[in-house]
Amino acid sequence: MIKIADYLPRFNRLLYTSLTLISAILLGGLGKLSESNNNTALAQENIPISGSGDAQLQPLKQSLTEFMRHRCVGAAVLGVSVKGKPVGVWGFGRMKGRPTNNWNPACGDDMQAPLAPSVAADTPMRMGSISKPVTFAMVRWALKQTARDRAGLELTDDQIEGMKLFDPQHYPPLIPGFNKQYPVAIIPENLHAVFSGKIQFPVPVKDSKCANLNSGFADKQWQNVTLGHFLSHRSGLQRSAPRYGEDIIANLPVLRNLKIPADFHAQEQLLVNEWGSKSVSLAKNQLGISPSAGYFLPSPTLTETMQVLAGRCLQYPLGQYHYSNTSPAFPTIILEQLIASGSYAAKMGKPATHQGSALEVFFKTELGISTAADRGIFMTQGVENIGAREPEKRHWNGKSYYGQGWDVKRPHCIWKGSFCDFATWLNPKPGRINWSWNLSQVPFSSRNTDLSPGTGSLAAEAEVFLKFMSQYWVGGYENNPRIGEKRKQVWNRYTAHNGALDGTYAWAIQLGGNRNPKEWKLPPLDDKGRILDDFANLKMYAGLLPDGVDVFVAVNQRADKKCVDAKGYNCGDAYGLLDNFILYGVSQVNWNLVAPRAVKR
């Protein structure tokens, strides 16, 4: 094992320390260093950096720029706070393409394209699964607030987590310790009926991972599943959700009891009322569908998706940890039940609907942060060019970082005899109408979750997410502190959560206590302590990490040409080292000289 103290020769370390102290005195005191010209020390990197922060954080910024160079990253944001107070927030790189002309041709970027605008410090970045701790904090808040307002009950996190959501004897569920039912329904009645075994599930799901449910009723294990099982990934769910097309879209007639053409026409009329007859008619023309032969249907709701889930058995024993991207679905549904607007976040293509959503109300009332459909924290849209404040997502597909695909948000069927056939919709080339009612492929490098917005669709500005991290735990699936619980000014515990989608990789890290990482893998270091571009030959390094330091970092890609072409490592392993680059940078900072202060932007 190599110790960080061995990275630099003794003379270099002493020289660095002396220069730092002299600079501090000249600039007016220790712990209050600031950057005079946006990161002069990184000028040789030629990666533009905006924002400001304590100059002592230079090693952390250096580590991130090294990761960006080695992994061909076009854009990144970084936020750092000490005991809840920001000490640095920055944007790195450019909003599209390569960040600099001083760039490795092996990255595969178009070196002739003009450089795009720089990433600002308040640029929002998609967070992937870091959306889960936000969702879980929100559902705890909504359940406590509603119980207080409706019944004068002060609930604990244990009582919230202990409620059995599908108890066949109690709807709404019993509150542990009070022997009372929750004052309002928190699960739609039709979902409670199917998951509690009162009625048969509408759609069986073929699943090779476990036996079919021949009885036609949901797995009996559901009757003992609590909210806490969802919040800790212990409900028995497998990782993936039912298939969006074959399992959900194709079964919309069953889920909505649509039998005759008039039923489908009524569904299409809902879209006409929302988007106008011109949009719907134009889309039919593009698909070559005559007005009376085919119908557009509203996209499936999260409740309908969960109805399909009832036809799939629970793969694992109750209480056993298995990470599942379906777990946030029911907490999201609970939020939609309890919030007056009935929405978790803004609807696709309707930014005004962010106002009054659970996301908007929670951040305003609990954290004092005003948000909008593209400000602060919000549900990022599934395709590019909606929410232009985000950098364009990058994901090397073998030819380009900016692939295109068929958006799946406009299901349609064609009436054939006695049923409406979705086969045309399931085949993307003849006709997947995208969100704007056009028949064309759209930039789609950032895969959506195809499930709930609470699973992985949120984007946030770094400083806003630091505020969230100062008040709530971002990790804790297997032990205390539990994810989404209030932090209560505790700075000596370690938790972390990452998020990954095509076009996204992010980490939220709360450092503190004896559970802080003591060692981590990295590519080799040179004699100046800089991380080299050698991801095939990792080494273990040890270091000391501080208490009370929170870090939020996000980059706009999860695959690059170099890792796709590499033989000694893969992209998943390479991007999985982002947090280790950050930990190394943190370990190189003299935190005794960092002064918490408000960041000036």
Side-chain angles (χ1 to χ4, degrees):
M1 180 182 297
I2 301 173
K3 295 183 179 178
I4 288 175
D6 297 330
Y7 296 160
L8 294 174
R10 183 183 300 272
F11 174 79
N12 286 348
R13 293 203 309 273
L14 290 173
L15 178 61
Y16 175 83
T17 302
S18 300
L19 291 173
T20 299
L21 291 172
I22 293 170
S23 299
I25 293 169
L26 292 174
L27 291 172
L30 296 177
K32 296 183 180 179
L33 299 174
S34 62
E35 299 143 316
S36 60
N37 61 354
N38 270 350
N39 317 291
T40 302
L42 290 179
Q44 72 276 12
E45 296 287 350
N46 291 327
I47 294 177
I49 303 176
S50 63
S52 65
D54 196 300
Q56 292 293 329
L57 301 179
Q58 169 69 20
L60 180 52
K61 290 155 53 187
Q62 182 69 46
S63 289
L64 180 54
T65 56
E66 287 167 5
F67 182 87
M68 291 178 68
R69 278 198 168 272
H70 299 339
R71 293 274 52 90
C72 307
V73 169
V77 296
L78 174 66
V80 186
S81 63
V82 176
K83 294 186 177 178
K85 297 180 180 180
V87 295
V89 177
W90 300 276
F92 297 74
R94 299 186 185 273
M95 296 297 286
K96 181 177 180 179
R98 68 194 187 284
T100 172
N101 283 327
N102 179 19
W103 203 233
N104 188 346
C107 288
D109 284 283
D110 180 1
M111 300 299 292
Q112 303 305 312
L115 291 173
S118 299
V119 174
D122 64 349
T123 296
M125 295 284 278
R126 182 177 289 194
M127 304 189 298
S129 286
I130 302 176
S131 306
K132 293 180 175 73
V134 177
T135 302
F136 296 167
M138 288 166 61
V139 78
R140 294 176 190 276
W141 155 76
L143 285 165
K144 290 178 183 179
Q145 189 65 46
T146 302
R148 185 181 299 121
D149 293 344
R150 295 295 186 94
L153 298 175
E154 295 292 335
L155 300 188
T156 66
D157 283 289
D158 286 339
Q159 288 172 317
I160 285 173
E161 293 200 7
M163 289 191 291
K164 292 183 179 180
L165 301 184
F166 311 113
D167 180 350
Q169 305 303 318
H170 299 97
Y171 179 76
L174 278 181
I175 303 172
F178 283 143
N179 200 30
K180 295 180 179 179
Q181 288 180 271
Y182 194 80
V184 298
I186 61 175
I187 296 291
E189 190 170 5
N190 61 338
L191 279 188
H192 181 268
V194 69
F195 280 96
S196 65
K198 292 184 177 180
I199 62 174
Q200 291 184 310
F201 52 75
V203 178
V205 179
K206 294 180 180 179
D207 195 340
S208 61
K209 294 182 180 295
C210 49
N212 291 328
L213 302 175
N214 295 323
S215 67
F217 291 91
D219 192 318
K220 288 188 177 181
Q221 184 166 296
W222 284 109
Q223 298 178 22
N224 292 310
V225 170
T226 66
L227 177 58
H229 287 131
F230 286 123
L231 301 185
S232 62
H233 296 278
R234 286 180 162 80
S235 64
L237 286 167
Q238 54 189 269
R239 188 178 183 94
S240 62
R243 295 169 299 177
Y244 186 74
E246 293 84 346
D247 294 332
I248 300 170
I249 295 291
N251 285 297
L252 282 177
V254 176
L255 297 171
R256 297 175 182 174
N257 195 30
L258 310 177
K259 297 179 179 178
I260 60 176
D263 297 333
F264 290 88
H265 178 76
Q267 288 279 297
E268 186 173 89
Q269 188 61 42
L270 296 174
L271 293 174
V272 170
N273 295 342
E274 182 178 8
W275 297 96
S277 59
K278 182 177 180 180
S279 294
V280 177
S281 297
L282 177 63
K284 282 192 172 184
N285 289 337
Q286 292 178 88
L287 292 172
I289 301 174
S290 65
S292 60
Y295 305 92
F296 279 97
L297 284 73
S299 297
T301 66
L302 186 54
T303 295
E304 288 169 337
T305 300
M306 292 301 100
Q307 282 183 290
V308 173
L309 184 71
R312 170 191 272 182
C313 67
L314 290 166
Q315 185 179 355
Y316 305 108
L318 189 63
Q320 192 177 100
Y321 175 81
H322 289 278
Y323 193 88
S324 170
N325 279 320
T326 315
S327 279
F330 280 110
T332 299
I333 287 172
I334 292 172
L335 282 166
E336 293 174 342
Q337 284 282 110
L338 296 180
I339 200 75
S341 67
S343 64
Y344 176 98
K347 294 177 64 177
M348 168 68 80
K350 300 241 178 221
T353 58
H354 175 86
Q355 186 173 3
S357 67
L359 195 64
E360 191 262 348
V361 174
F362 171 78
F363 273 83
K364 180 185 291 184
T365 61
E366 294 300 292
L367 294 171
I369 296 174
S370 296
T371 62
D374 65 347
R375 300 276 169 178
I377 185 166
F378 52 92
M379 190 182 79
T380 184
Q381 303 294 339
V383 295
E384 307 292 347
N385 304 323
I386 312 177
R389 293 188 64 236
E390 298 176 57
E392 291 205 34
K393 286 75 175 176
R394 292 160 56 91
H395 193 88
W396 185 257
N397 62 9
K399 297 181 179 179
S400 168
Y401 284 103
Y402 304 103
Q404 291 190 323
W406 295 94
D407 195 358
V408 297
K409 292 179 176 59
R410 299 293 181 213
H412 68 270
C413 60
I414 297 175
W415 189 260
K416 292 186 176 180
S418 61
F419 70 99
C420 212
D421 184 8
F422 285 87
T424 301
W425 182 86
L426 291 171
N427 182 354
K429 289 189 176 179
R432 285 198 176 165
I433 296 293
N434 64 36
W435 74 274
S436 59
W437 297 96
N438 294 321
L439 174 57
S440 62
Q441 288 187 321
V442 293
F444 210 64
S445 59
S446 49
R447 183 189 66 233
N448 207 350
T449 62
D450 290 339
L451 194 58
S452 73
T455 295
S457 298
L458 298 185
E461 298 169 15
E463 194 165 357
V464 167
F465 204 74
L466 287 177
K467 184 70 176 290
F468 175 82
M469 293 173 69
S470 73
Q471 300 296 319
Y472 296 90
W473 295 111
V474 297
Y477 286 126
E478 301 186 57
N479 45 46
N480 284 329
R482 290 175 293 195
I483 186 170
E485 285 189 332
K486 287 195 172 183
R487 191 168 180 174
K488 300 177 181 177
Q489 299 290 308
V490 175
W491 309 111
N492 61 349
R493 290 178 178 173
Y494 167 81
T495 69
H497 207 296
N498 71 330
L501 288 171
D502 294 353
T504 304
Y505 201 74
W507 273 95
I509 304 170
Q510 296 167 318
L511 291 169
N514 57 17
R515 294 188 68 240
N516 269 347
K518 306 297 189 299
E519 57 185 26
W520 46 85
K521 289 182 178 180
L522 280 176
L525 305 176
D526 66 14
D527 59 0
K528 295 182 179 180
R530 294 169 64 97
I531 304 170
L532 299 175
D533 187 3
D534 187 0
F535 286 72
N537 295 292
L538 304 181
K539 298 181 181 297
M540 189 71 73
Y541 298 98
L544 296 177
L545 299 173
D547 288 347
V549 171
D550 295 343
V551 180
F552 175 74
V553 60
V555 300
N556 68 330
Q557 65 191 55
R558 193 169 62 106
D560 57 76
K561 186 178 187 298
K562 287 166 58 183
C563 67
V564 169
D565 294 343
K567 293 185 173 21
Y569 64 95
N570 60 46
C571 291
D573 292 340
Y575 282 80
L577 295 177
L578 173 60
D579 61 325
N580 291 358
F581 273 72
I582 295 300
L583 295 178
Y584 171 67
V586 168
S587 72
Q588 298 296 286
V589 173
N590 186 340
W591 291 97
N592 292 323
L593 301 182
V594 176
R597 59 180 176 79
V599 175
K600 295 180 181 179
R601 296 196 311 216

